[in-house]
Amino acid sequence: MSSTTTFCVTSDVHATVLERSYADGQIKPYGLSRYVTALSQQRANGEVITLDNGDILQGSPLLTYFHQQHRAPHLLAQVMNTIGIDYFNLGNHDFNYGLPILKQFLKDLNAKVLTSNVLLNGQPLGQSVLHLTKDGTRIALIGVVTDYIPHWEKPLHLEGITFLDPIEVVKSEVTRWRSQVDLVVVAYHGGFERDLITGEPTEPLTGENDGYALAQIPGIDVLITGHQHRSIATRIGSTVVTQTAFNALEFAQITLNGSKVIDTQLVKLGDVEPDPILIEVVKPWEDRTQTWLDQPVGRLYGHDYRIRDKFDARVHKHPLISFINDIQRELTGAQLSGTSLFNEPVGFNPLVTTRDIVSTYIYPNTLVVKRITGKTLKAYLEQCAEYFTVLDGQLAVNPAFDDPKPQHFNYDMVDGITYTLNISNPVGQRVTFLTYQDRPVDDEEVFTLVVNNYRAAGGGNFAMIAESETVAEINTDFVELLIAYFQSHPEMTPAHRSNITITL
């Protein structure tokens, strides 16, 4: 007699355990502490299989602080063990803190690791699993992650790591399992490269996202995706596909009756009460994190360094950008510096605390100096100019930077030069004025440019930067560099230059 089994799936949680914002203390509709309560309700109604689809280790100050301290046992492993996660598939951000931390996490984790397309010294970090439900349904669980990670990650963090093509691995695994099981479930930490209905490309087909191609592989019953932070519960052909928003705002609930998927939906967590047991698990580290965050690191004068209007901060380069670019140039000696505001920038109060810094600069990036030509510089600026468009005669953000995934961090603002972008011009012809030290930039002229390691590796499809010669690297997280800079410059009145003009 068949009975129902429910898959409960999270993805891209980004270390969001509690429901309170670290930036301003507000209660938010997210967090694994809410998810525990929802799972308890699910488990009271029948059999539940839990799976997390990666990007768990990076994204909150709690883990930024934890990773600076003694790391055993790993806090996120304790959290996931308390929740009762059955299966785990690696995400790209799970490599951000290097292999020692990743290996500690996997060692302390009770969940079975599914990721079979990542090899460490020739051995896979995970493997496909046969799950037998209480009613005897045989389910093959296959896990893969995007193999595009080397385009973003620091090489030091990937020593001994080999990424196999996820499409080829899934094809092989489906062939191996299909005749032995009633249901094949693939967890892929990657998103969709094409429109789910039309099949038309929605982004450059770089291989970062292969979800649509995976959905075309015969024999997959359920395809769980991630990476893009989209809310998806639908079908492509006969294959059920899901994706969840980030920070545990929701989870995917896939209900089976025997080997048949009878319902797929996304369950929001905003109205679910947090679980006090999980809160107690993280409380010692949470208390220490809050103390760390409230530490003053320095004082800024002369400008407002809070981000009041994100769009205006990009149209009229914000003083915070000048400040960060100046620090990047001073620390590296580069002539030029490029940086961006992340998706939800906060900015700094006059009395700058650690909280201001980690809430504004949320990624564990490092600095890389590239040698570029004037021609490369213009190509870089042209791609940055694609961030803007003209809608109804007004300057606006190009919708491609919001859908299918917000990518406002892919608009860089560059200091050390003066330039104008005319957004009314065709893409690729928008740089109408470009000078260095008050003289026009020549295509053959050579510059040094400092950017973060994500951009230096070509992140955001900035191939012209990745292809340029690397001159130097500072392999210290920029957050640490900023804090150290404030410690040596406790009071500052930074210069601000309006060197970028955006016109129509």
Side-chain angles (χ1 to χ4, degrees):
M1 180 77 181
S2 296
S3 60
T4 60
T5 300
T6 304
F7 264 100
C8 292
V9 180
T10 49
S11 189
D12 300 273
V13 169
H14 288 287
T16 307
V17 180
L18 304 180
E19 75 284 4
R20 192 178 296 274
S21 165
Y22 285 95
D24 56 18
Q26 291 186 10
I27 298 297
K28 297 291 186 178
Y30 56 43
L32 290 176
S33 59
R34 297 184 188 274
Y35 183 48
V36 178
T37 304
L39 280 179
S40 297
Q41 297 166 355
Q42 292 282 342
R43 287 168 174 147
N45 296 325
E47 184 177 4
V48 172
I49 305 168
T50 53
L51 186 151
D52 184 86
N53 193 33
D55 274 10
I56 189 76
L57 296 187
Q58 175 276 334
S60 83
L62 174 65
L63 266 293
T64 301
Y65 177 74
F66 176 80
H67 285 146
Q68 296 175 4
Q69 316 303 318
H70 179 65
R71 300 189 295 268
H74 196 285
L75 181 60
L76 253 298
Q78 295 179 70
V79 167
M80 294 178 77
N81 294 345
T82 301
I83 295 171
I85 301 298
D86 298 311
Y87 301 102
F88 175 69
N89 185 41
L90 284 161
N92 55 292
H93 282 291
D94 297 319
F95 295 87
N96 281 171
Y97 290 98
L99 288 176
I101 287 177
L102 177 56
K103 289 197 288 188
Q104 184 69 55
F105 167 72
L106 296 178
K107 175 178 176 289
D108 296 332
L109 187 66
N110 291 340
K112 294 179 180 178
V113 180
L114 301 177
T115 318
S116 56
N117 74 317
V118 180
L119 309 182
L120 175 58
N121 299 322
Q123 298 300 313
L125 288 178
Q127 61 183 352
S128 302
V129 172
L130 173 64
H131 183 98
L132 191 66
T133 68
K134 292 177 181 177
D135 71 353
T137 301
R138 296 163 300 172
I139 303 174
L141 295 168
I142 301 166
V144 290
V145 62
T146 175
D147 62 349
Y148 207 68
I149 292 172
H151 289 81
W152 312 307
E153 193 53 70
K154 306 167 193 173
L156 180 66
H157 291 171
L158 301 179
E159 288 185 352
I161 291 284
T162 302
F163 293 93
L164 306 179
D165 183 336
I167 296 176
E168 294 306 314
V169 170
V170 169
K171 284 180 179 177
S172 176
E173 290 295 284
V174 171
T175 299
R176 181 164 76 95
W177 285 101
R178 184 68 267 184
S179 63
Q180 304 176 48
V181 298
D182 304 301
L183 200 76
V184 171
V185 176
V186 173
Y188 167 56
H189 189 90
F192 292 100
E193 72 282 25
R194 296 177 182 271
D195 183 275
L196 302 190
I197 297 173
T198 67
E200 290 298 311
T202 53
E203 63 185 36
L205 300 179
T206 62
E208 174 181 350
N209 297 300
D210 281 326
Y212 191 87
L214 286 169
Q216 310 306 308
I217 298 174
I220 299 175
D221 298 293
V222 178
L223 175 62
I224 294 161
T225 66
H227 187 53
Q228 292 172 320
H229 305 174
R230 300 165 67 183
S231 295
I232 297 171
T234 186
R235 287 180 182 266
I236 298 178
S238 61
T239 302
V240 171
V241 295
T242 70
Q243 190 174 136
T244 55
F246 68 145
N247 290 5
L249 281 159
E250 62 191 9
F251 68 96
Q253 177 182 290
I254 305 165
T255 305
L256 312 177
N257 190 308
S259 61
K260 184 179 180 182
V261 178
I262 59 173
D263 183 61
T264 308
Q265 58 180 290
L266 302 178
V267 181
K268 301 290 184 183
L269 290 167
D271 294 330
V272 180
E273 288 298 314
D275 176 70
I277 295 175
L278 192 63
I279 292 172
E280 283 302 309
V281 169
V282 301
K283 188 176 189 304
W285 283 105
E286 174 69 14
D287 290 346
R288 280 179 267 181
T289 300
Q290 293 293 346
T291 299
W292 173 66
L293 289 173
D294 287 333
Q295 292 176 353
V297 296
R299 187 177 290 276
L300 291 175
Y301 299 95
H303 299 282
D304 181 3
Y305 289 91
R306 296 290 289 183
I307 305 298
R308 312 290 180 181
D309 182 321
K310 293 177 288 187
F311 181 66
D312 185 75
R314 294 182 175 100
V315 174
H316 305 99
K317 191 192 72 174
H318 196 276
L320 181 64
I321 293 294
S322 294
F323 178 59
I324 291 175
N325 274 334
D326 281 353
I327 291 175
Q328 291 188 169
R329 285 198 290 171
E330 182 175 336
L331 292 175
T332 63
Q335 296 164 282
L336 314 179
S337 175
T339 193
S340 66
L341 294 172
F342 296 142
N343 286 343
E344 297 296 333
V346 177
F348 298 165
N349 290 300
L351 179 62
V352 182
T353 64
T354 304
R355 188 183 305 276
D356 291 333
I357 291 175
V358 301
S359 297
T360 298
Y361 207 99
I362 61 174
Y363 295 109
N365 291 332
T366 56
L367 298 181
V368 179
V369 179
K370 290 282 191 172
R371 181 173 285 114
I372 64 170
T373 64
K375 183 177 180 180
T376 300
L377 175 60
K378 291 175 185 176
Y380 173 39
L381 297 177
E382 287 290 358
Q383 183 157 335
C384 292
E386 293 179 27
Y387 178 76
F388 295 106
T389 191
V390 180
L391 294 175
D392 299 325
Q394 301 292 318
L395 186 67
V397 175
N398 182 341
F401 285 79
D402 271 312
D403 184 35
K405 175 183 177 180
Q407 297 184 68
H408 302 279
F409 49 79
N410 282 329
Y411 171 63
D412 286 0
M413 289 162 272
V414 181
D415 270 287
I417 53 176
T418 301
Y419 60 100
T420 298
L421 306 177
N422 188 325
I423 309 306
S424 295
N425 287 355
V427 168
Q429 302 174 37
R430 292 176 168 180
V431 178
T432 58
F433 180 84
L434 174 59
T435 63
Y436 173 72
Q437 296 183 346
D438 297 325
R439 54 181 175 73
V441 170
D442 183 79
D443 280 356
E444 303 306 315
E445 194 170 356
V446 176
F447 302 93
T448 50
L449 166 74
V450 56
V451 290
N452 65 39
N453 64 288
Y454 173 79
R455 187 70 75 238
N461 298 317
F462 284 83
M464 77 293 292
I465 303 299
E467 293 164 0
S468 298
E469 177 191 357
T470 297
V471 177
E473 299 181 51
I474 298 180
N475 288 313
T476 302
D477 287 355
F478 190 63
V479 165
E480 295 178 43
L481 294 174
L482 267 177
I483 292 172
Y485 193 88
F486 273 108
Q487 289 170 344
S488 60
H489 303 77
E491 295 195 357
M492 289 180 276
T493 307
H496 173 53
R497 297 161 304 281
S498 299
N499 61 308
I500 304 172
T501 303
I502 310 295
T503 66
L504 292 180

